[in-house]
Amino acid sequence: MRLIWLICICILFLNCEDKHSKKKKKVEINQTTTEQKQVVKDTIEDAKKTYPVLDGLQNAMEFFLEYDKHNKENKVRLTTDFGTIDILLFNETKFHRANFIYLTKRGYFNGTQFYRVIDNYIIQGGNSDDVKTAKKRDKIGKYLLPTDTNRGYTHERGVISMPSSDIENPYKLASPYEFFIVQQHGGSHFLDGDYTVFGKVIRGMDVVDKIAAVKTDDGDWPLHNVYIRKAEIIN
């Protein structure tokens, strides 16, 4: 008789635990869904907002200083012709993080290309030979960002860094629309101190390697364009 009572109590206990577990999982799923909807909502609303046309270093610095306070996202997914690349942006390099988030929300990177590819060195993206990209830049503005190289980050394999502008630029101010990912095994540490490391690949280095292996012309431009189909904020 005592054995039967013990079995009944155990069954009752396990049923209660199972209901509690299911309820907890349901809450967690609902919370995740809410967070995902919020990211999508924020991105859509951001795209509809009217922003000033950025003009020059000072104007951009002031803008991103304020933008950083209200836009704390730090993960971006790049969907390419070869797969997806997930990037974590460093909060310590706030101007460069805010800039990358801003351009992502404005839809700038969509349709741009990895236009400079050197196997066992880097893949560089954020530009294209499409006139639409030039029009996007005109709407956002012409500006540069300061280098921020004293945060302890180095050009190890998998980091994302910002190239300097190709205009006369003795202080190597960064070209905000473009970026490169270090693909070189062992890193490209001769770049340290000149270019700002502001993030790293957290998933998709196999995709980076595939892009780095494509055939290119004498100017390192892929013979077949490698597009960034979409850039989006992720949790």
Side-chain angles (χ1 to χ4, degrees):
M1 188 69 180
R2 290 180 62 187
L3 180 60
I4 294 174
W5 273 107
L6 284 173
I7 292 172
C8 290
I9 291 171
C10 287
I11 292 172
L12 182 62
F13 177 76
L14 289 172
N15 283 338
C16 290
E17 281 291 300
D18 185 57
K19 289 179 181 179
H20 179 72
S21 177
K22 287 181 180 178
K23 184 177 179 181
K24 184 178 179 181
K25 286 181 180 177
K26 186 177 180 181
V27 171
E28 288 175 349
I29 291 170
N30 288 339
Q31 286 174 342
T32 302
T33 304
T34 302
E35 289 173 357
Q36 290 172 342
K37 287 181 179 178
Q38 186 63 40
V39 169
V40 173
K41 181 181 177 183
D42 289 347
T43 303
I44 293 173
E45 289 181 352
D46 198 85
K48 291 180 179 179
K49 287 180 182 178
T50 301
Y51 289 103
V53 175
L54 301 179
D55 181 19
L57 177 62
Q58 186 62 35
N59 173 258
M61 293 277 286
E62 292 174 356
F63 174 79
F64 287 119
L65 187 63
E66 185 63 26
Y67 192 83
D68 171 73
K69 296 177 183 178
H70 308 287
N71 298 269
K72 296 297 185 181
E73 300 93 336
N74 65 352
K75 291 180 183 177
V76 173
R77 173 168 294 159
L78 304 178
T79 300
T80 78
D81 293 332
F82 290 83
T84 59
I85 303 170
D86 290 351
I87 296 170
L88 171 68
L89 304 173
F90 301 143
N91 294 321
E92 291 80 359
T93 50
K94 63 180 179 181
F95 288 110
H96 299 75
R97 183 203 63 80
N99 172 75
F100 204 82
I101 292 296
Y102 176 64
L103 294 180
T104 298
K105 288 187 175 184
R106 291 291 301 268
Y108 169 76
F109 293 116
N110 301 342
T112 59
Q113 301 166 27
F114 282 103
Y115 65 94
R116 184 182 179 218
V117 171
I118 305 174
D119 195 15
N120 199 31
Y121 179 35
I122 64 168
I123 63 171
Q124 188 163 318
N127 204 344
S128 79
D129 52 4
D130 192 329
V131 68
K132 291 180 181 179
T133 299
K135 288 181 178 179
K136 286 181 183 180
R137 291 191 181 199
D138 287 341
K139 288 182 179 180
I140 296 171
K142 296 180 180 179
Y143 63 101
L144 299 173
L145 291 176
T147 53
D148 191 359
T149 59
N150 296 317
R151 304 293 178 179
Y153 301 118
T154 61
H155 286 83
E156 61 189 43
R157 174 175 160 82
V159 302
I160 179 171
S161 186
M162 194 170 287
S164 59
S165 170
D166 57 2
I167 63 174
E168 186 178 347
N169 186 13
Y171 297 105
K172 293 187 180 296
L173 298 178
S175 177
Y177 294 106
E178 300 167 34
F179 63 92
F180 63 88
I181 298 172
V182 176
Q183 186 259 343
Q184 184 173 358
H185 293 273
S188 300
H189 296 288
F190 59 91
L191 301 174
D192 295 347
D194 287 333
Y195 306 97
T196 301
V197 175
F198 64 100
K200 66 178 180 180
V201 174
I202 54 176
R203 189 178 71 85
M205 275 306 294
D206 59 324
V207 177
V208 174
D209 289 334
K210 289 176 184 177
I211 295 172
V214 303
K215 292 183 178 180
T216 62
D217 61 20
D218 292 339
D220 302 321
W221 194 296
L223 295 179
H224 298 284
N225 289 337
V226 180
Y227 285 97
I228 298 173
R229 298 297 177 179
K230 185 179 183 182
E232 58 189 322
I233 310 297
I234 58 174
N235 290 318

